[in-house]
């Protein structure tokens, strides 16, 4: 049909475990030498967890397994699923960054994609130069880009820094400009991964509004997010991906309910350990959810603090490194946002090489009774890679209220108990 702009037919993406091909001679030689000595490959990128064993066929790993779907012109489609389900692999195929191993993808229209912090821009070029570079890649003339330039800069709120090399931007500035470029340079299809989680809440709302405007103009939007509230707000239709397969396709409200019912996100995970990656300059190796007595715990009273203990390993000193955290309710609604600049000085900045421990304390009586999941990201505009480490959703906890009169029926985001009192006269 003429109104179908994306048609995916029986697409699979298959990786062969153990194959040496890392893209650089240095890494290939490292892997070859480790193989000869019978040691673990230092550049191995994928680990097969128990729930992913069914995606192995011999030594072949199916990142995507025979998926098919269509998207019509002007549709806004959410793509949801657990980490590792295959969402990002699908978007990379649709963005023509990687090719499918099997199957066929037909796309009718110009695509702009925003998949990761740090991709799409040249770090040595200024913001202005990158805007023109991206427009040229999309096939626009210089005059067409110039016509949109002021609108892009105003949307991104980086006018004072537009002639500064983007390698000096914070991750938030980078994402704002990258989204503004992708959204304003007249794409017919806009693909956005959950990179928007790096931005602040006000900018996230601004982006969702812009994506809605793009769709109303007859453009198509594909949106990946772990925020079920954002998906529900923007996308009437969603795809649910699990183990590399599309297991549900329909109205977002129904698909989100099915996703929450089946996965439970990270419910009950109070400890998580992450495999060592020697290529990373810094890495979260372990996280624990603790009581103030230092015991690992999942269910807390609203009257006690929740402490997140982070074990991090630094392979080099990273000036400007900071951590970013969001806390979301069980329905995906974002309720709290923090970064390590909340503490002065920033405890992650320029830390010595080695293993270090940090804590994040969520004060008592701050959040309302509910189940919560924690998202973490670590970034620096002065590191080799913008995304220094991105473990994403890492742990969870639950809060209950047994002391206030409303108890667990207290609505809203917070459980703060306000003081009510009678005054003998006017206070002011």
């Amino acid at each position: 049909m003429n109104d179908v702009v994306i048609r995916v037919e029986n697409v699979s993406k298959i990786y062969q475990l153990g194959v040496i091909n890392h893209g650089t001679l240095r890494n290939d030689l490292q892997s070859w030498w480790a193989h000869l000595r019978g040691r673990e490959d230092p550049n191995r990128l994928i680990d097969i967890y128990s729930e992913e064993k069914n995606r192995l066929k011999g030594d072949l790993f199916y990142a995507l397994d025979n998926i098919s779907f269509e998207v019509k012109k002007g549709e806004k489609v959410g793509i949801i699923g657990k980490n590792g389900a295959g969402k990002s692999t699908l978007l990379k195929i649709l963005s023509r960054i990687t090719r499918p191993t099997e199957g066929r993808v037909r796309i009718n229209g110009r695509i702009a994609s925003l998949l990761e912090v740090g991709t799409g821009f040249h770090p040595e070029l200024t913001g202005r130069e990158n805007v023109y570079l991206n427009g040229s890649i999309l096939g626009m003339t210089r005059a067409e880009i110039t016509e949109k330039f002021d609108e892009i800069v105003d949307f991104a709120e980086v006018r004072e820094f537009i002639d500064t090399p983007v390698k000096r931007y914070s991750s938030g500035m980078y994402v704002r400009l990258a989204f503004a470029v992708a959204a304003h340079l007249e794409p017919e299809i806009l693909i956005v991964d959950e990179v928007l989680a790096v931005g602040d809440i006000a900018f996230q709302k601004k982006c969702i509004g812009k994506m809605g405007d793009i769709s109303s103009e007859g453009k198509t939007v594909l949106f990946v997010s772990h925020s079920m509230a954002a998906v529900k707000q923007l996308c009437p239709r969603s795809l649910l991906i699990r183990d590399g397969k599309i297991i549900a396709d329909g109205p977002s409200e129904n698909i989100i309910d099915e996703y929450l019912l089946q996965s439970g996100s990270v419910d009950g995970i109070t400890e998580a350990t992450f495999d060592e990656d020697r290529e990373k300059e810094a890495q979260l190796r372990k996280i624990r959810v603790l009581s103030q007595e230092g015991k690992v715990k999942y269910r807390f009273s609203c009257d006690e603090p929740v402490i997140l203990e982070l074990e991090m390993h630094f392979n080099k000193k990273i000036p400007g490194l900071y951590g970013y955290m969001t806390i979301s309710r069980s329905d995906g609604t974002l309720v709290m946002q923090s970064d390590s600049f909340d503490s002065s000085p920033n405890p992650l900045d320029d830390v010595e090489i080695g293993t270090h421990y940090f804590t994040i304390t969520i004060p008592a009586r701050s959040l309302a009774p509910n189940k919560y999941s924690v998202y973490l990201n670590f970034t620096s505009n002065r590191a080799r890679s913008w995304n220094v480490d991105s473990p994403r959703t890492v742990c969870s906890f639950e809060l209950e209220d047994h002391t206030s009169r409303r108890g667990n029926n207290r609505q809203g985001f917070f459980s703060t108990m306000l003081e009510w009192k009678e005054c003998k006269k006017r206070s002011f």
Side-chain angles (χ1 to χ4, degrees), residues 67-236:
I67 66 170
S68 300
F69 65 94
E70 293 181 348
V71 178
K72 295 181 179 179
K73 182 178 179 180
E75 273 197 290
K76 295 173 289 186
V77 181
I79 302 176
I80 61 177
K82 295 169 65 175
N83 289 337
K87 305 184 300 298
S88 295
T89 302
L90 173 60
L91 295 194
K92 287 177 181 177
I93 289 175
L94 296 178
S95 301
R96 297 167 178 160
I97 293 172
T98 187
R99 295 172 61 88
T101 310
E102 298 173 354
R104 182 168 56 180
V105 176
R106 293 183 177 181
I107 296 175
N108 181 21
R110 185 166 58 193
I111 292 178
S113 59
L114 184 60
L115 303 184
E116 292 181 5
V117 179
T119 57
F121 282 0
H122 192 296
E124 299 295 336
L125 299 182
T126 66
R128 183 187 302 272
E129 291 166 337
N130 272 296
V131 170
Y132 280 91
L133 174 63
N134 274 262
S136 299
I137 292 172
L138 286 172
M140 299 179 69
T141 66
R142 187 173 183 85
E144 289 174 327
I145 301 169
T146 300
E147 184 181 346
K148 293 281 186 179
F149 184 80
D150 286 339
E151 192 177 350
I152 290 170
V153 175
D154 290 340
F155 187 93
E157 302 169 7
V158 294
R159 185 168 293 278
E160 298 87 348
F161 310 100
I162 196 63
D163 292 310
T164 301
V166 297
K167 68 180 181 180
R168 307 199 186 283
Y169 286 14
S170 69
S171 59
M173 293 166 61
Y174 202 109
V175 167
R176 292 202 302 271
L177 184 58
F179 180 86
V181 169
H184 286 82
L185 292 184
E186 299 187 350
E188 292 162 301
I189 302 169
L190 179 63
I191 298 177
V192 181
D193 205 342
E194 59 177 326
V195 66
L196 292 183
V198 175
D200 58 43
I201 295 175
F203 187 72
Q204 289 178 35
K205 291 181 178 178
K206 191 175 180 180
C207 291
I208 290 172
K210 181 62 179 177
M211 286 189 280
D213 294 341
I214 290 172
S215 178
S216 67
E217 297 168 2
K219 312 293 177 63
T220 303
V221 177
L222 296 184
F223 181 45
V224 168
S225 178
H226 283 291
S227 171
M228 298 301 102
V231 173
K232 189 180 295 186
Q233 178 184 345
L234 177 68
C235 306

